[in-house]
Amino acid sequence: MTSRNDPCPCGSGKKYKRCCLMQEDTGSQVHGEPRRHVHRPATDPELDAWKAADRDLIHRGMRFIDTVGPDQESLCRLYWGPETLRRWRRQGVTEQEQMQFLAWLWLDWRANEGGPTLAEQMIGDPALGARQAAILASHATSQMSVYQVVRLDPGNGVELEDVLSGERLFVHDRSLSLSAQKWMIFFGRTYCGGPYRFVTGIGGQCPPAYRD
């Protein structure tokens, strides 16, 4: 058990009594919700390497989309509908909306019925490293599903339950771990980076109050 004068186990450099213990004692809240204290994740060089490979693959995928040159405006109209496009022109597109569309464009859209997706066209690219190739193969076979947040690990990731299959899995996504609420429901797709799971194409978030 950590004593009051020991270094705080969160790694902040402060004494326990001046850091997490004070939060536990006061039960401090922000806007009526319990404050989340973000613990520094344990060093995991293997996870870092897979995340770096994933980022590199995403950048390659975006460059490939630009090279292939599909008419993104007409595809936006197909995916979102004309009303959403008009709103975008007035207010601008959010980063989440943009990433949701690009995930669909890369992983689902096909120029010809029965033809390959853009991600499938990248398979076999000799410029890809072993990690990038493995992530791409997982991306290409991933399916959209509905997920429920069952546990938060702030700063590291979240445990999800696939509402359709009942499968539980932990995804390493720091941003989601800081923005999600327990029991929140959303749609998206998960994929593998070696022994780790990641998530992309998130949309349609439903707050916990509406989960029933």
Side-chain angles (χ1 to χ4, degrees):
M1 179 176 178
T2 306
S3 70
R4 293 173 57 85
N5 290 312
D6 286 342
C8 187
C10 76
S12 66
K14 300 179 181 178
K15 290 185 177 182
Y16 182 47
K17 67 182 180 182
R18 298 295 184 189
C19 192
C20 291
L21 178 61
M22 188 162 50
Q23 294 179 13
E24 293 166 5
D25 289 343
T26 61
S28 58
Q29 295 185 333
V30 178
H31 300 303
E33 295 183 2
R35 179 179 176 181
R36 294 181 190 167
H37 187 81
V38 180
H39 291 265
R40 294 183 182 177
T43 301
D44 188 341
E46 184 70 5
L47 174 60
D48 291 343
W50 281 102
K51 282 186 173 181
D54 187 43
R55 289 191 297 270
D56 178 74
L57 178 63
I58 291 171
H59 292 152
R60 289 174 182 271
M62 297 306 99
R63 290 197 298 270
F64 183 73
I65 289 174
D66 291 338
T67 301
V68 173
D71 183 353
Q72 293 191 35
E73 183 168 349
S74 63
L75 290 175
C76 276
R77 188 177 297 109
L78 172 66
Y79 185 79
W80 291 109
E83 184 60 36
T84 298
L85 286 183
R86 284 192 287 270
R87 176 176 62 81
W88 281 3
R89 292 189 178 101
R90 294 193 308 267
Q91 303 174 3
V93 60
T94 67
E95 181 180 359
Q96 185 181 81
E97 289 170 329
Q98 185 179 33
M99 294 307 296
Q100 185 180 335
F101 167 73
L102 289 174
W104 169 81
L105 178 59
W106 191 42
L107 301 170
D108 291 318
W109 178 74
R110 301 171 190 271
N112 302 296
E113 186 176 353
T117 64
L118 296 180
E120 289 169 343
Q121 292 179 45
M122 290 181 63
I123 292 177
D125 183 345
L128 295 177
R131 284 192 171 94
Q132 288 93 340
I135 295 171
L136 177 60
S138 182
H139 261 303
T141 58
S142 65
Q143 299 291 324
M144 190 70 74
S145 194
V146 181
Y147 295 96
Q148 178 175 252
V149 176
V150 296
R151 182 174 63 85
L152 296 163
D153 185 0
N156 296 312
V158 298
E159 183 179 355
L160 303 175
E161 180 178 0
D162 187 319
V163 175
L164 304 182
S165 70
E167 177 191 11
R168 287 201 176 191
L169 60 150
F170 186 87
V171 296
H172 293 268
D173 191 303
R174 184 178 187 277
S175 178
L176 183 62
S177 77
L178 299 177
S179 62
Q181 294 176 288
K182 189 176 181 180
W183 307 124
M184 182 184 85
I185 293 176
F186 64 89
F187 65 79
R189 64 177 81 218
T190 62
Y191 59 99
C192 295
Y196 308 99
R197 296 290 284 270
F198 306 126
V199 62
T200 190
I202 295 174
Q205 292 96 326
C206 182
Y210 294 94
R211 71 190 183 100
D212 294 332

